[in-house]
Amino acid sequence: MKLQRSGFVAGIALTAAIALTGCGSDNESPGSASSAAPGDCVGGSLTAQGSTAQKNAMDDWIKAYQTKCADSKVDYQGTGSGAGIEAFIAGTADFAGSDSALKEEEQPQADAKCAGGKALNLPMVIGPIAVVYNVDGVDGLQLSSPTIAKIFAGKITKWNDAAIAAENTGAKLPDAKIETVHRADESGTTDNFTKYLSKTAEADWTYSNAKAWKAPGGTGVSKSDGIATKVKSTPNTISYVELSFAENSGLQTAKIKNGAGEYVELSGESAGKTFENAEIKGTDGDLALSLDYATTTPGAYPIVLVTYEIACSKGSAKAKEVQAFLKYTSSSDGQKALADLGYAPLPETLRTKVADSVAKIS
């Protein structure tokens, strides 16, 4: 089941006309789009790390930016969201990529690295989290959040368990042991996936949400590409990974039951619908989002993530270099470059907010 990237992009594009809560057009600078144009080049080098979910996007962005800005160098390492935030706080990363906004306890530590300013959460890459599996002869697997929670909590251990069979009438489910696979490193993808479970299957998922995997059992694998490789090469496995990695590895993806009671296939339109209820909870240029994982919007695919760039609003020794690069990533051209990579552009109402925040970095 390989999703068409053009369909994914088209689906997200539908949300461009939808004003996210807190994303109105009031107080927007008329020059937002032009201020984010990829024409600003600042010579020098940047060191960044973090989210592996956005690694493919970053690689493409860096290549395009360095081609346009020959005197600029950006080194981004996909070390995982947790490691990226730690590096930013330690001062060894000029900006960080994270699949989750800074947590309450992390914010003051990150702010301390921004003399006279604060650390901003800037959403830059949008994508859904696919539940991927490798079960011979089983196509179009359907799963609800309680069943997913029970599988990853070790309460359902066989593929032909009654709970799975009840959601997949007529499927030939094998009498085989399920091997769950999770991220071994701290990951914002894990944080978002477990947040989905904790919000929609509270009775069956008692481990809350975190970047570090908390449930017992299963096999831990580092990085998103490691997850994709493990599932592709190991029968009877199930895991979670970003769409771009699922697509690149040709993995089967499950249909997920949403709050409206529908089993929804992962597609551009279905993922985009979840952002209809997204809410900006940050203030003063911080654009941390709150997503409704239990969305009852018909046709919405509920497991989505947003990758943030964590950067100083002011006070960074590399402020000009960071601003120049993020002007490109948040520009219309930069966002359009995601189309062929299994990601999707930010809705325009949100992109202009990001561009405005980037334009004020000093």
Side-chain angles (χ1 to χ4, degrees):
M1 182 192 303
K2 183 162 180 166
L3 302 176
Q4 295 300 313
R5 287 172 180 159
S6 59
F8 181 70
V9 173
I12 293 291
L14 292 176
T15 66
I18 299 170
L20 300 179
T21 303
C23 287
S25 59
D26 53 309
N27 298 321
E28 283 189 5
S29 166
S32 294
S34 60
S35 69
D40 298 336
C41 292
V42 175
S45 62
L46 288 174
T47 298
Q49 61 174 287
S51 165
T52 60
Q54 69 168 15
K55 182 63 166 61
N56 293 336
M58 270 293 166
D59 287 348
D60 192 79
W61 277 334
I62 290 169
K63 181 179 179 180
Y65 180 72
Q66 290 181 165
T67 298
K68 191 174 293 288
C69 303
D71 293 331
S72 301
K73 179 175 176 56
V74 182
D75 178 22
Y76 181 87
Q77 298 296 317
T79 56
S81 297
I85 290 174
E86 288 177 3
F88 183 83
I89 291 172
T92 56
D94 299 313
F95 70 89
S98 176
D99 302 337
S100 298
L102 290 166
K103 296 193 179 301
E104 186 177 353
E105 63 273 17
E106 295 170 335
Q107 188 71 53
Q109 300 176 66
D111 289 345
K113 298 299 175 180
C114 306
K118 67 177 184 178
L120 299 174
N121 298 284
L122 301 172
M124 204 68 71
V125 179
I126 286 178
I129 300 173
V131 175
V132 294
Y133 65 98
N134 181 347
V135 183
D136 188 40
V138 179
D139 297 322
L141 184 69
Q142 298 186 155
L143 296 172
S144 64
S145 56
T147 299
I148 297 170
K150 290 173 185 175
I151 290 172
F152 281 92
K155 299 173 184 177
I156 292 178
T157 60
K158 289 289 192 75
W159 277 109
N160 62 350
D161 185 275
I164 300 177
E167 297 181 6
N168 295 273
T169 304
K172 295 181 179 180
L173 299 166
D175 182 20
K177 184 179 179 180
I178 298 172
E179 181 180 353
T180 60
V181 182
H182 59 265
R183 286 283 290 270
D185 51 329
E186 288 199 359
S187 163
T189 311
T190 295
D191 193 26
N192 281 275
F193 180 65
T194 54
K195 188 177 295 182
Y196 160 74
L197 294 178
S198 66
K199 298 289 186 182
T200 61
E202 187 177 0
D204 300 296
W205 186 260
T206 59
Y207 305 100
S208 188
N209 65 281
K211 293 185 180 74
W213 185 260
K214 293 183 177 181
T219 301
V221 178
S222 293
K223 311 278 190 325
S224 297
D225 54 358
I227 292 286
T229 299
K230 173 66 175 177
V231 173
K232 188 175 182 66
S233 63
T234 311
N236 300 314
T237 48
I238 186 170
S239 189
Y240 55 93
V241 74
E242 302 82 4
L243 172 64
S244 61
F245 289 89
E247 282 192 334
N248 290 344
S249 296
L251 299 175
Q252 291 271 47
T253 62
K255 297 178 181 178
I256 305 300
K257 190 175 184 179
N258 64 17
E262 307 166 324
Y263 289 98
V264 180
E265 184 173 346
L266 180 52
S267 72
E269 184 177 0
S270 63
K273 286 181 178 180
T274 298
F275 282 88
E276 292 180 15
N277 297 320
E279 177 183 356
I280 289 180
K281 59 182 182 179
T283 58
D284 298 327
D286 182 85
L287 299 174
L289 299 176
S290 177
L291 299 175
D292 182 11
Y293 294 103
T295 177
T296 57
T297 301
Y301 180 88
I303 319 178
V304 292
L305 66 77
V306 179
T307 293
Y308 299 89
E309 309 315 326
I310 311 297
C312 289
S313 63
K314 62 174 61 177
S316 167
K318 295 289 186 74
K320 291 182 179 180
E321 291 91 336
V322 170
Q323 183 190 57
F325 179 63
L326 296 186
K327 275 186 176 182
Y328 170 62
T329 67
S330 63
S331 71
S332 295
D333 286 347
Q335 287 294 306
K336 287 177 183 176
L338 301 179
D340 295 325
L341 302 173
Y343 302 103
L346 295 170
E348 186 65 11
T349 48
L350 179 57
R351 188 200 67 76
T352 56
K353 289 289 186 183
V354 176
D356 284 344
S357 290
V358 170
K360 295 172 184 174
I361 289 176
S362 61

Short mmCIF file of all heavy atoms in Angstrom, two decimals, residues 118-145:
data_model
loop_
_atom_site.label_atom_id
_atom_site.label_comp_id
_atom_site.label_asym_id
_atom_site.label_seq_id
_atom_site.Cartn_x
_atom_site.Cartn_y
_atom_site.Cartn_z
N LYS A 118 13.98 34.40 24.00
CA LYS A 118 13.48 33.10 24.44
C LYS A 118 13.60 32.10 23.30
O LYS A 118 13.79 32.48 22.13
CB LYS A 118 12.02 33.20 24.89
CG LYS A 118 11.04 33.53 23.77
CD LYS A 118 9.61 33.53 24.30
CE LYS A 118 8.61 33.77 23.17
NZ LYS A 118 7.20 33.74 23.67
N ALA A 119 13.51 30.83 23.66
CA ALA A 119 13.55 29.78 22.66
C ALA A 119 12.17 29.61 22.04
O ALA A 119 11.18 29.44 22.75
CB ALA A 119 14.02 28.46 23.28
N LEU A 120 12.12 29.69 20.71
CA LEU A 120 10.85 29.58 19.99
C LEU A 120 10.63 28.17 19.46
O LEU A 120 11.58 27.48 19.06
CB LEU A 120 10.84 30.53 18.80
CG LEU A 120 10.99 32.02 19.09
CD1 LEU A 120 11.10 32.79 17.77
CD2 LEU A 120 9.81 32.53 19.91
N ASN A 121 9.38 27.73 19.46
CA ASN A 121 8.98 26.50 18.79
C ASN A 121 8.37 26.91 17.45
O ASN A 121 7.30 27.52 17.40
CB ASN A 121 7.93 25.75 19.62
CG ASN A 121 8.45 25.32 20.97
OD1 ASN A 121 9.21 24.37 21.08
ND2 ASN A 121 8.04 26.03 22.01
N LEU A 122 9.06 26.61 16.36
CA LEU A 122 8.63 27.03 15.03
C LEU A 122 8.25 25.80 14.20
O LEU A 122 9.13 25.07 13.73
CB LEU A 122 9.75 27.81 14.34
CG LEU A 122 10.23 29.07 15.07
CD1 LEU A 122 11.47 29.63 14.38
CD2 LEU A 122 9.12 30.12 15.13
N PRO A 123 6.96 25.53 14.00
CA PRO A 123 6.57 24.36 13.20
C PRO A 123 7.07 24.51 11.77
O PRO A 123 6.90 25.56 11.16
CB PRO A 123 5.04 24.39 13.27
CG PRO A 123 4.67 25.78 13.66
CD PRO A 123 5.81 26.30 14.47
N MET A 124 7.72 23.46 11.25
CA MET A 124 8.34 23.59 9.93
C MET A 124 8.01 22.41 9.01
O MET A 124 7.98 22.58 7.80
CB MET A 124 9.86 23.72 10.08
CG MET A 124 10.55 24.41 8.92
SD MET A 124 10.14 26.17 8.80
CE MET A 124 10.98 26.87 10.21
N VAL A 125 7.79 21.24 9.58
CA VAL A 125 7.51 20.05 8.76
C VAL A 125 6.26 19.36 9.30
O VAL A 125 6.18 19.05 10.49
CB VAL A 125 8.69 19.07 8.78
CG1 VAL A 125 8.38 17.83 7.94
CG2 VAL A 125 9.96 19.73 8.27
N ILE A 126 5.32 19.11 8.42
CA ILE A 126 4.08 18.42 8.80
C ILE A 126 4.05 17.03 8.18
O ILE A 126 4.40 16.85 7.03
CB ILE A 126 2.84 19.21 8.32
CG1 ILE A 126 2.64 20.45 9.20
CG2 ILE A 126 1.59 18.36 8.34
CD1 ILE A 126 1.48 21.31 8.77
N GLY A 127 3.61 16.06 8.96
CA GLY A 127 3.46 14.72 8.43
C GLY A 127 2.75 13.81 9.39
O GLY A 127 2.78 14.03 10.60
N PRO A 128 2.07 12.80 8.89
CA PRO A 128 1.41 11.84 9.75
C PRO A 128 2.35 10.73 10.18
O PRO A 128 3.37 10.48 9.56
CB PRO A 128 0.30 11.29 8.86
CG PRO A 128 0.88 11.34 7.50
CD PRO A 128 1.79 12.55 7.47
N ILE A 129 1.99 10.08 11.27
CA ILE A 129 2.73 8.91 11.73
C ILE A 129 1.99 7.66 11.24
O ILE A 129 0.82 7.46 11.55
CB ILE A 129 2.83 8.88 13.26
CG1 ILE A 129 3.56 10.13 13.76
CG2 ILE A 129 3.55 7.61 13.73
CD1 ILE A 129 3.56 10.28 15.28
N ALA A 130 2.68 6.86 10.47
CA ALA A 130 2.09 5.64 9.95
C ALA A 130 2.29 4.50 10.95
O ALA A 130 3.35 4.37 11.55
CB ALA A 130 2.73 5.26 8.62
N VAL A 131 1.26 3.69 11.14
CA VAL A 131 1.41 2.43 11.86
C VAL A 131 1.75 1.40 10.80
O VAL A 131 0.93 1.06 9.95
CB VAL A 131 0.12 2.05 12.62
CG1 VAL A 131 0.26 0.67 13.25
CG2 VAL A 131 -0.20 3.09 13.68
N VAL A 132 2.98 0.94 10.81
CA VAL A 132 3.49 0.05 9.76
C VAL A 132 3.60 -1.38 10.28
O VAL A 132 3.82 -1.61 11.47
CB VAL A 132 4.87 0.53 9.24
CG1 VAL A 132 4.73 1.87 8.53
CG2 VAL A 132 5.87 0.66 10.38
N TYR A 133 3.43 -2.33 9.36
CA TYR A 133 3.44 -3.73 9.78
C TYR A 133 3.96 -4.62 8.65
O TYR A 133 3.97 -4.22 7.49
CB TYR A 133 2.05 -4.18 10.23
CG TYR A 133 1.01 -4.18 9.11
CD1 TYR A 133 0.69 -5.35 8.43
CD2 TYR A 133 0.36 -3.00 8.74
CE1 TYR A 133 -0.25 -5.35 7.41
CE2 TYR A 133 -0.58 -2.99 7.72
CZ TYR A 133 -0.89 -4.17 7.06
OH TYR A 133 -1.81 -4.18 6.04
N ASN A 134 4.38 -5.80 9.02
CA ASN A 134 4.87 -6.79 8.06
C ASN A 134 4.25 -8.14 8.39
O ASN A 134 4.76 -8.89 9.21
CB ASN A 134 6.40 -6.87 8.12
CG ASN A 134 6.99 -7.86 7.12
OD1 ASN A 134 6.28 -8.66 6.52
ND2 ASN A 134 8.31 -7.82 6.94
N VAL A 135 3.08 -8.39 7.81
CA VAL A 135 2.36 -9.64 8.04
C VAL A 135 1.97 -10.20 6.68
O VAL A 135 1.19 -9.58 5.96
CB VAL A 135 1.10 -9.44 8.91
CG1 VAL A 135 0.42 -10.78 9.19
CG2 VAL A 135 1.46 -8.76 10.23
N ASP A 136 2.51 -11.33 6.34
CA ASP A 136 2.29 -11.92 5.03
C ASP A 136 0.81 -12.18 4.78
O ASP A 136 0.11 -12.79 5.59
CB ASP A 136 3.07 -13.24 4.93
CG ASP A 136 3.04 -13.81 3.52
OD1 ASP A 136 3.15 -13.02 2.57
OD2 ASP A 136 2.91 -15.05 3.38
N GLY A 137 0.31 -11.70 3.64
CA GLY A 137 -1.06 -11.96 3.24
C GLY A 137 -2.11 -11.06 3.87
O GLY A 137 -3.30 -11.24 3.60
N VAL A 138 -1.68 -10.10 4.67
CA VAL A 138 -2.64 -9.20 5.32
C VAL A 138 -2.50 -7.80 4.73
O VAL A 138 -1.51 -7.11 4.98
CB VAL A 138 -2.42 -9.15 6.85
CG1 VAL A 138 -3.41 -8.18 7.49
CG2 VAL A 138 -2.58 -10.54 7.44
N ASP A 139 -3.48 -7.41 3.93
CA ASP A 139 -3.49 -6.09 3.32
C ASP A 139 -4.61 -5.26 3.95
O ASP A 139 -5.66 -5.78 4.31
CB ASP A 139 -3.73 -6.18 1.81
CG ASP A 139 -2.60 -6.94 1.11
OD1 ASP A 139 -1.44 -6.76 1.50
OD2 ASP A 139 -2.91 -7.70 0.17
N GLY A 140 -4.38 -3.96 4.05
CA GLY A 140 -5.42 -3.08 4.55
C GLY A 140 -5.82 -3.32 5.99
O GLY A 140 -7.00 -3.23 6.35
N LEU A 141 -4.86 -3.64 6.83
CA LEU A 141 -5.13 -3.88 8.25
C LEU A 141 -5.85 -2.69 8.87
O LEU A 141 -5.48 -1.53 8.62
CB LEU A 141 -3.81 -4.13 8.99
CG LEU A 141 -3.90 -4.50 10.47
CD1 LEU A 141 -4.51 -5.88 10.66
CD2 LEU A 141 -2.51 -4.43 11.11
N GLN A 142 -6.87 -2.94 9.68
CA GLN A 142 -7.62 -1.90 10.36
C GLN A 142 -7.41 -2.02 11.86
O GLN A 142 -7.53 -3.11 12.42
CB GLN A 142 -9.12 -2.01 10.04
CG GLN A 142 -9.44 -1.84 8.57
CD GLN A 142 -10.93 -1.81 8.30
OE1 GLN A 142 -11.38 -1.24 7.31
NE2 GLN A 142 -11.72 -2.44 9.17
N LEU A 143 -7.11 -0.89 12.51
CA LEU A 143 -6.85 -0.91 13.95
C LEU A 143 -7.46 0.32 14.63
O LEU A 143 -7.39 1.43 14.11
CB LEU A 143 -5.34 -0.92 14.22
CG LEU A 143 -4.56 -2.15 13.75
CD1 LEU A 143 -3.06 -1.92 13.92
CD2 LEU A 143 -4.99 -3.40 14.50
N SER A 144 -8.04 0.11 15.80
CA SER A 144 -8.51 1.20 16.63
C SER A 144 -7.44 1.53 17.65
O SER A 144 -6.51 0.74 17.89
CB SER A 144 -9.80 0.79 17.36
OG SER A 144 -9.53 -0.28 18.27
N SER A 145 -7.54 2.69 18.29
CA SER A 145 -6.52 3.07 19.26
C SER A 145 -6.47 2.11 20.47
O SER A 145 -5.37 1.80 20.94
CB SER A 145 -6.71 4.52 19.72
OG SER A 145 -8.00 4.73 20.24
#
